Amino acid sequence: MNAFTSVLRRTLAPVPAVSKIQVRNTASSRRLTKALRVHPHPSMILTSASPSADHIIYNPPSAAPTPMMTPEIFLPKNDARHSLYQAQEKAAATLPPPLREPYEKTYHLTETDMQRMRELRAGNPAEWPRTRLAKEFNCSTLFVGIVCQASEQRISEMAKRTEHIKNTWGAKRTAARAEREKRRAGWGGADGL
Amino acid sequence: MKTLRLASAVRGFSRRNTRFNSTIAVTSEPLAPTILSTIPPSRNPAASAKLPALHARLALHPSYPIQTLARALVDPTADKDARFTNQNLSTLGNTLTGYYASEFLLVTYPRLPTDVLYAAVGAFVGNKALAALGREWGIETAFSPAADVDAGLLQYKHLKPGMDPKLANRVGAATQEHAMAEAVRAIIAGVHVHEGQKAAKQFIRQHILSRKLEVEKMFDFSQPTRELSRLCAREGFEAPVARMHAETGRRSHHPVFVVGVYSGKKLMGEGHGGSLDEARIRAAVNALKGWYLYSPLEKELPSSAGKKGFKAQFIDVGEVIV
């Protein structure tokens, strides 16, 4: 016990002795057992509404949907599975929220706009990168990329700069970035998930 | 035409064998240098116990002669004379297995993209798969194609270790995998030649097509969201919209998002992932798999079509070009 701890102990109020009186809480072994009991799924319970004859209970464990079950929209018109899907369709459920608000494509840029975009980028690529052009012309960076490409010289310059930045990374960051790239490469189905 | 030529080649082989057995002992003329006074064990099917065992294990019909089985086990690298090797048989076997596998896949998954179809056919009847099948059948290999090896062993000249398998043809050698696969193809061709087309088809179905192939894991999309958009535009569906089904731990180190991709009110696919982008991209991948892995309820193979002729149940317009 060092000096600081002993001073602290003396200044603090003494701890009262632990109470020996039993207090009944709601928790008891019987109640706990009852609370933890897993009740059968409603589909397993026989009620007066259940079929009286032998029947099959279809209650598969929850799992990610398999692509082997073709969604209804992808079935050809003459496929018999349409009736199955329609039979199990739920009544007018609201759709889940979108990840980002759906938007209509405007197609507002004209040929002269695109020509100006090309000129700006070719004239001063450092001043007019994709993001700024996209903001200026109110379109996506992908569209800017479709309309005009940076010059070979600019691309090689930027590549060199990226290379320089990557060289300043330590071992941990380099490994983490490589791992991330590897994981990203599997999203398209290569990782078998 | 190919079948006919092959059958005559097989007959020629057995006739030559019987001549060895019956006439050589009584001839008084000096033997040509290429004709041996006795058949070496490597070319004498009657001297091998392995061949009847393999014949019985594969439950081949009695009309399938041991001689054909022995010939199927001689790789072209073990003998220069094509009449004694499995060269012709394996060509026929390759045609048969490729035909039945692609027919089965095309009828089961008519929308399969070409690359995936080729990969799936390769997974069923490629060298690797058939070599594994041959090992399961219990075919053993001879150390070298010498005259005194058992005729029931797979005879081939092994490629030297460290050599590029692409150079195998040029140096007249083969890898074990290639030789084994060719032997399996030749055995299957023997079933076609001696037992008929129906038997060969049944044999291929039971030994090869009955294996579980996870076609849904053979896809790798480079631009899944774009491809799905193109698909929806092509088929006249509404443009895809990603919607959040469930999420947990958004601000934590290990969040999980479950995202569904919709066309209008119809769900096309669902995916999960550790980031919104991952879940969205996986949902698009699953939607595309759902499209490509469509399988009609009624499947009729062209080879099983009767006299009325084959009528395709479903004709696909082709894969999506991005």
Side-chain angles (χ1 to χ4, degrees), chain A residues 5 12 23 30 61 87 97 99 138 169 179 190 192:
Chain A
T5 321
L12 285 175
V23 179
R30 181 176 58 81
L99 292 194
N138 193 20
W169 292 351
E179 278 293 311

Side-chain angles (χ1 to χ4, degrees), chain B residues 3-16:
Chain B
T3 318
L4 286 176
R5 262 194 287 128
L6 196 108
S8 63
V10 172
R11 275 201 301 278
F13 172 70
S14 50
R15 199 165 52 233
R16 198 185 163 119

Side-chain angles (χ1 to χ4, degrees), chain A residues 6 24 30 59 65 73 77 102-103 127 135-136 177 182:
Chain A
S6 58
R24 277 195 68 95
R30 181 176 58 81
N59 179 26
I73 188 171
K77 277 187 188 126
Y103 60 93
E127 270 300 293
K135 218 174 220 178
E136 174 78 17
R177 294 290 174 119
K182 210 191 278 177

Side-chain angles (χ1 to χ4, degrees), chain A residues 63-82 84-86 89 92-105 142 146 183-193, chain B residues 109 111 215-217 219-222 224 228 231 237-238 241-245 259 262-270 272 275-278 280-282 285-291 293-297 313-314:
Chain A
T66 162
M68 302 309 271
M69 281 181 74
T70 313
E72 199 208 346
I73 188 171
F74 292 158
L75 290 175
K77 277 187 188 126
N78 58 357
D79 199 287
R81 278 166 282 191
H82 277 295
L84 285 177
Y85 274 107
Q86 273 150 19
E89 202 161 354
T94 50
L95 287 173
L99 292 194
R100 63 172 186 191
E101 275 311 308
Y103 60 93
E104 286 287 313
K105 284 180 180 168
L142 177 79
I146 293 170
R183 284 199 302 274
R184 174 66 189 82
W187 292 359
D191 56 7
L193 284 179
Chain B
Y109 305 111
R111 284 180 185 159
V215 188
E216 72 271 21
K217 293 195 175 171
F219 288 86
D220 186 10
F221 298 100
S222 57
L228 186 63
L231 174 73
F237 305 146
E238 286 179 53
V241 176
R243 293 175 183 277
M244 181 74 82
H245 279 182
V259 167
Y262 287 74
S263 171
K265 283 188 173 177
K266 303 265 184 179
L267 179 66
M268 295 191 289
E270 188 185 274
H272 66 275
S275 68
L276 287 170
D277 268 350
E278 182 182 356
R280 188 172 55 87
I281 289 169
R282 284 193 191 279
V285 167
N286 284 336
L288 285 170
K289 283 183 186 175
W291 170 264
L293 292 172
Y294 164 71
S295 188
L297 289 175
Q313 293 292 325
F314 179 83

